[in-house]
Amino acid sequence: MDDRWLHLFEDLGKEHNDMVGKKCANLGEMARIGLPIPEGFALCLDAYRKFMDVTGAADEVIECIESRLNSLESIAEIIELSRAIRRTVESKPMPPEMEGTIVCHYDELGARCDMDEPPVSARSAGAVSHPGQYETHLNVKGKNDLLEKIKQVW
């Protein structure tokens, strides 16, 4: 597994909007024209796809949805399905190769910032902005917490 699913902000631009979301793509654009931006990296949609495939979570989520299709008649049942999907994703350990890549980049970020555990944000994103629709965790510190927060936003 390579790390093409992980990109430094300064390597991004508006052409990466669909891959990493508008906010990260715009940070890359700002870096390109010389504006100061925070140090950081973005995981693209391929990171999520790899995680879901490698851990088997994708198949489990599909099975979970298919097993409840005929019983989604109320908001409460839809909410419970959503919770079941979330539990499935969050229960999976980060695949070792993905964990190694993320942790390595987090360590490099710390070195660039001259900090052992730099605070970072873990947020969901898409090509189109939907304020308040996605989960965000601010000031995430430490490798283990970062890995858990990544799964939570997925």
Side-chain angles (χ1 to χ4, degrees):
M1 186 179 301
D2 59 37
D3 63 351
R4 287 182 288 184
W5 44 265
L6 187 148
H7 303 274
L8 299 177
F9 288 159
E10 60 264 25
D11 296 333
L12 297 170
K14 61 185 173 187
E15 68 274 15
H16 300 105
N17 185 53
D18 292 343
M19 187 173 71
V20 296
K22 194 170 186 177
K23 187 172 281 188
C24 290
N26 284 338
L27 283 168
E29 279 297 307
M30 291 166 48
R32 284 181 179 180
I33 63 171
L35 293 173
I37 65 164
E39 299 284 347
F41 57 87
L43 304 180
C44 68
L45 287 172
D46 286 340
Y48 164 76
R49 290 181 187 118
K50 283 183 184 291
F51 173 84
M52 294 297 285
D53 288 341
V54 170
T55 63
D59 291 334
E60 287 183 43
V61 167
I62 290 168
E63 187 177 304
C64 182
I65 293 168
E66 287 175 347
S67 71
R68 297 174 191 222
L69 275 178
N70 296 326
S71 64
L72 297 176
E73 297 176 9
S74 71
I75 294 296
E77 291 165 328
I78 294 169
I79 290 170
E80 179 48 40
L81 172 60
S82 177
R83 287 182 179 143
I85 291 169
R86 183 177 182 121
R87 282 191 303 270
T88 297
V89 173
E90 291 180 5
S91 73
K92 302 297 180 190
M94 188 67 72
E97 293 174 57
M98 290 185 80
E99 179 178 330
T101 298
I102 293 167
V103 165
C104 179
H105 280 79
Y106 182 71
D107 286 342
E108 288 174 10
L109 177 65
R112 290 167 69 175
C113 297
D114 197 27
M115 300 175 83
D116 287 334
E117 293 186 334
V120 297
S121 298
R123 58 183 298 275
S124 298
V128 178
S129 180
H130 298 281
Q133 296 292 314
Y134 300 116
E135 189 157 339
T136 299
H137 297 279
L138 304 174
N139 297 313
V140 176
K141 286 185 171 186
K143 298 166 192 163
N144 291 332
D145 200 29
L146 175 59
L147 295 169
E148 288 304 309
K149 296 299 189 248
I150 289 169
K151 292 190 300 183
Q152 288 175 10
V153 298
W154 283 342

